[in-house]
Amino acid sequence: MGDVLAGIHAAWEFESDALVIRFERGIRTPKLYQVLRERRVPYEALASVTLTPGKRGTVVLHAVPRPGADPLMEAAAGQLKESSDPYRLVLPTDRETLAEYYRDELRALLPPEPGAAGAAGHGAGGPYDGLDALDGHGGPDGHGGLGGPDRGGVLDALGGVEDPYGAGGAVAPAERFLVAPPSGPLSFKAYDGKASFDGRAEVSFRWFWTGASSEKWKAGDQTFSVRDLCGIEWRSPDVFDGHLRLLARDGGPRPTQPDHDPASVVFGLGYGLVHESLPFAAAVLAAIRSSDRAPVPVGSRTPGAVAERIRHLGELHRAGLVTDEEFSTKKAELLAEL
């Protein structure tokens, strides 16, 4: 189409094969929008488009992504506030007629589900045709149809564990991510440590003296190969017990509390903010999904990474935080990784 529809804090451009969403960078623009900057969403990544009344004389055009199509929304797992949902375009009510036109035009571009007449808003009786009348938020639970705000963000490398749209399977999940993950940030400060991602192969956690638990200090700074991971668990810092947890592919036992789990960083007031930790989680999830599923060969850790962990372990030993026996055992384990 090539047309541009400008709204509050964002504009939608309709290309022949994709919806391009560009976000403003003004002081009033949600910080997540400023970080995302621009997103290209192929039409095949969308399940439906709705138009609902908004607040204070506005209407909301909402593009509903398919389950499994966007790593950002998969990582968020329904925990985003409405004001930060990148698929919502808020318009003044005097542009409602124009918004209706683009809603219909966009719906016509969405690929129908095979064998599902009227699915995903493509005709009368489709499972999304009734969303406009549910609650004015483009989803049955007020969060873009992506699950309630108290649902944990647990995703494995094969996609969400449940249908977050409540569509009874009428909208088929995408077999792969169709929307590119955010380009950054690839590091952020949590309450108990700094999380970093090289953008492709490794995630690392470096603990802070002021926040990390004794369990994490004894384990030492952590480096995880993407190939060893099967998913992530992101819980918004806007709720209690916010954290980012990496899920190991071997599925072994892990501490219940993220504060005690060396594969987790915990959030707090001013730490792990949504616009920092969520794009990070989405980038890691996308890397996991695209990684080769072959088993990791023995000795896959680089000598430099092992040496750094042994150095840190020695510091803990000298500080009296680990015993002689714990130091010897852990050092032997690290040397065995070479």
Side-chain angles (χ1 to χ4, degrees):
M1 293 165 57
D3 295 347
V4 176
L5 179 61
I8 300 173
H9 302 317
W12 287 8
E13 181 176 352
F14 303 88
E15 296 185 347
S16 60
D17 60 345
L19 172 66
V20 179
I21 305 174
R22 296 187 173 91
F23 302 101
E24 294 179 356
R25 301 189 64 185
I27 191 171
R28 296 180 180 274
T29 304
K31 290 185 178 180
L32 180 61
Y33 288 7
Q34 297 184 46
V35 168
L36 296 177
R37 297 188 182 183
E38 178 178 312
R39 311 207 77 210
R40 190 175 189 278
V41 185
Y43 296 129
E44 63 177 319
L46 298 176
S48 182
V49 186
T50 66
L51 180 64
T52 59
K55 300 176 181 178
R56 304 185 191 89
T58 62
V59 293
V60 179
L61 196 58
H62 185 202
V64 181
R66 288 173 61 188
D70 184 350
L72 183 78
M73 303 309 284
E74 289 292 291
Q79 299 174 80
L80 278 180
K81 294 180 178 179
E82 277 188 357
S83 59
S84 296
D85 186 340
Y87 285 89
R88 297 172 79 250
L89 183 67
V90 181
L91 302 153
T93 51
D94 60 8
R95 307 192 74 187
E96 182 173 3
T97 301
L98 185 61
E100 290 177 346
Y101 166 78
Y102 281 108
R103 176 199 62 189
D104 295 340
E105 288 292 304
L106 189 51
R107 281 180 172 177
L109 293 171
L110 304 187
E113 291 297 320
H122 295 282
Y128 288 91
D129 286 338
L131 288 183
D132 294 6
L134 287 174
D135 62 2
H137 301 314
D141 59 9
H143 293 270
L146 287 169
D150 58 349
R151 180 182 149 207
V154 182
L155 277 301
D156 61 26
L158 298 177
V161 296
E162 59 184 273
D163 178 5
Y165 295 82
V171 178
E175 295 182 357
R176 58 183 177 86
F177 287 138
L178 301 171
V179 182
S183 58
L186 295 182
S187 67
F188 69 91
K189 288 184 178 180
Y191 175 73
D192 57 354
K194 181 179 180 181
S196 301
F197 178 42
D198 66 3
R200 183 182 61 86
E202 286 191 341
V203 182
S204 62
F205 295 158
R206 183 173 291 276
W207 308 122
F208 295 155
W209 282 95
T210 53
S213 64
S214 59
E215 290 85 357
K216 291 184 177 180
W217 273 113
K218 288 183 178 181
D221 293 342
Q222 300 290 299
T223 300
F224 304 89
S225 171
V226 166
R227 290 179 180 271
D228 294 338
L229 304 175
C230 67
I232 59 96
E233 176 184 280
W234 181 81
R235 188 165 179 84
S236 173
D238 293 335
V239 298
F240 178 73
D241 193 30
H243 62 266
L244 172 66
R245 190 197 302 260
L246 304 177
L247 306 179
R249 193 177 296 280
D250 60 18
R254 67 186 187 199
T256 302
Q257 297 181 353
D259 185 45
H260 298 163
D261 185 357
S264 302
V265 289
V266 298
F267 305 151
L269 185 62
Y271 294 95
L273 301 174
V274 170
H275 68 279
E276 297 174 345
S277 61
L278 180 57
F280 181 99
V284 173
L285 183 61
I288 293 171
R289 183 78 66 87
S290 62
S291 67
D292 184 1
R293 302 307 176 87
V296 182
V298 175
S300 60
R301 302 293 189 190
T302 64
V306 172
E308 174 63 20
R309 293 183 65 184
I310 292 176
R311 181 198 64 77
H312 181 72
L313 183 64
E315 292 178 353
L316 296 177
H317 181 239
R318 288 190 293 273
L321 295 175
V322 297
T323 65
D324 292 344
E325 182 180 355
E326 289 172 332
F327 174 76
S328 299
T329 301
K330 188 65 177 179
K331 182 179 178 180
E333 292 176 357
L334 291 172
L335 292 173
E337 294 182 7
L338 294 174

